[in-house]
Amino acid sequence: MRLCCFNEARLGLVTDDKIVDVTSAIDFLPQHHYPFPNQDLFIANLDALKAKIELVAQKARSFNLDDVAFLPPVANPGKLIAAPVNYKKHLEEAQNQPELHRGNKIEEIQRVGLFLKATSSLIGPGARVKIRFPDRRNDHEIELAVIIGKTANNVKAKDALKYVAAYTIGLDMTVRGPEERSLRKSIDTYSVLGPWMVTADEFGDPSDADLILSVNGNLRQRANTRDLVIDVPHLIEFATKFYTLYPGDVFFTGTPNGVGPVVKGDKIVATISRIGTLNIEVE
Ligand code: MN
């Protein structure tokens, strides 16, 4: 199943070339009062909602893909977790450009660990990436993004994929400079997810997905997730040694080599096999 959020927080079921408005399925979510649970309620209840979504889709209106503005497929993630330098060729690329990483450790992910991006940085491709520091280099990073579906703590890699709800396309936008990653990658609009999520049962094996990113039609990044240094199950094992993952938490799994600068006016096109294509403009 392919699901999106669009326009004024509508819920969409993505079919071949249409988006079916299944927003009324949200009415079946359990009601909560303040303080709300620190997790995404839609993702937490996704398994139970699937049948409702299919039911309401039978009599729902639909939109053309080109006629909607996509929001992130997760509305309220509790955490945006990200893996630095998780492809070997990208590690070599980063270590060969020390001038871009003054003061920042560029080491193996096993030593550096994971970092967090502020949830306030999250947008969907219906919005634009807004450059905050045009005097510095701002880079694109295409990444397979994993949406956690169940509360996960001290999970072993062999069981980890049972905790995944869905996959989507992620852009971990970055301004270069001396500050911590968690600051430089948390600028408003610097975390892009979309255009929709593909549920784990439909997506299948996360260790064999092609990633391609171009800017203004020029190929920049091309890789396959089989080349991840730490694969998706082991990333979940790594993270849950430290903290609990909740439904709706999102994992940016790392970017391959080929990262490069973007400036105002650029058009980024990011494709991941078995998901689709994310188009977004930079301003
Ligand atoms: Mn990244």
Side-chain angles (χ1 to χ4, degrees):
M1 185 175 277
R2 293 163 179 247
L3 297 164
C4 69
C5 294
F6 67 101
N7 295 356
E8 306 301 323
R10 312 295 297 176
L11 176 66
L13 175 67
V14 184
T15 62
D16 288 340
D17 58 350
K18 297 275 189 192
I19 292 176
V20 183
D21 188 334
V22 292
T23 307
S24 60
I26 294 173
D27 295 341
F28 295 96
L29 280 178
Q31 295 299 307
H32 286 278
H33 297 284
Y34 180 85
F36 296 105
N38 61 344
Q39 54 186 256
D40 187 281
L41 292 174
F42 175 68
I43 301 295
N45 291 280
L46 183 57
D47 281 344
L49 284 178
K50 282 178 181 171
K52 305 290 185 192
I53 289 168
E54 284 175 347
L55 190 69
V56 303
Q58 293 171 11
K59 291 187 176 178
R61 63 177 180 157
S62 61
F63 297 82
N64 290 320
L65 290 178
D66 294 339
D67 294 339
V68 306
F70 288 104
L71 300 168
V74 186
N76 299 116
K79 291 194 280 299
L80 302 177
I81 306 146
V85 288
N86 200 16
Y87 287 82
K88 193 164 179 294
K89 282 184 185 169
H90 177 50
L91 174 65
E92 293 165 2
E93 168 183 74
Q95 288 176 328
N96 288 334
Q97 298 174 307
E99 71 282 1
L100 288 178
H101 306 281
R102 275 178 314 221
N104 275 305
K105 281 200 300 187
I106 304 298
E107 296 184 63
E108 291 82 1
I109 183 172
Q110 293 89 341
R111 290 167 58 85
V112 179
L114 307 168
F115 64 95
L116 295 172
K117 290 165 71 78
T119 53
S120 51
S121 64
L122 181 60
I123 59 167
R128 290 179 175 180
V129 174
K130 295 182 177 172
I131 301 293
R132 279 266 178 144
F133 297 96
D135 52 324
R136 295 201 201 173
R137 186 169 141 174
N138 289 268
D139 281 7
H140 55 75
E141 297 189 355
I142 184 174
E143 313 200 0
L144 177 66
V146 178
I147 300 168
I148 299 297
K150 296 185 177 70
T151 301
N153 189 18
N154 280 315
V155 169
K156 294 292 172 217
K158 66 179 174 51
D159 302 317
L161 294 184
K162 296 175 196 162
Y163 293 84
V164 176
Y167 298 85
T168 188
I169 300 168
L171 292 182
D172 174 22
M173 301 301 297
T174 304
V175 65
R176 300 295 178 186
E179 302 90 351
E180 293 282 346
R181 284 184 179 87
S182 62
L183 183 67
R184 290 183 291 108
K185 293 166 169 271
S186 286
I187 293 172
D188 293 355
T189 75
Y190 275 39
S191 300
V192 187
L193 291 176
W196 46 73
M197 60 180 175
V198 179
T199 52
D201 57 333
E202 180 171 329
F203 183 76
D205 183 5
S207 69
D208 183 19
D210 293 312
L211 301 80
I212 301 172
L213 182 141
S214 67
V215 177
N216 304 330
N218 300 310
L219 179 69
R220 293 275 186 90
Q221 294 183 275
R222 181 195 286 273
N224 185 286
T225 54
R226 77 173 71 92
D227 295 322
L228 281 166
V229 175
I230 300 183
D231 64 12
V232 172
H234 287 87
L235 283 174
I236 293 170
E237 178 178 295
F238 192 170
T240 63
K241 281 181 187 170
F242 288 82
Y243 42 55
T244 302
L245 300 178
Y246 294 98
D249 284 0
V250 178
F251 227 125
F252 288 76
T253 56
T255 201
N257 62 305
V259 299
V262 291
V263 296
K264 181 177 178 177
D266 282 349
K267 290 183 169 60
I268 300 172
V269 180
T271 300
I272 297 183
S273 55
R274 292 177 277 133
I275 300 176
T277 296
L278 179 156
N279 293 277
I280 194 160
E281 288 185 35
V282 179
E283 81 170 45

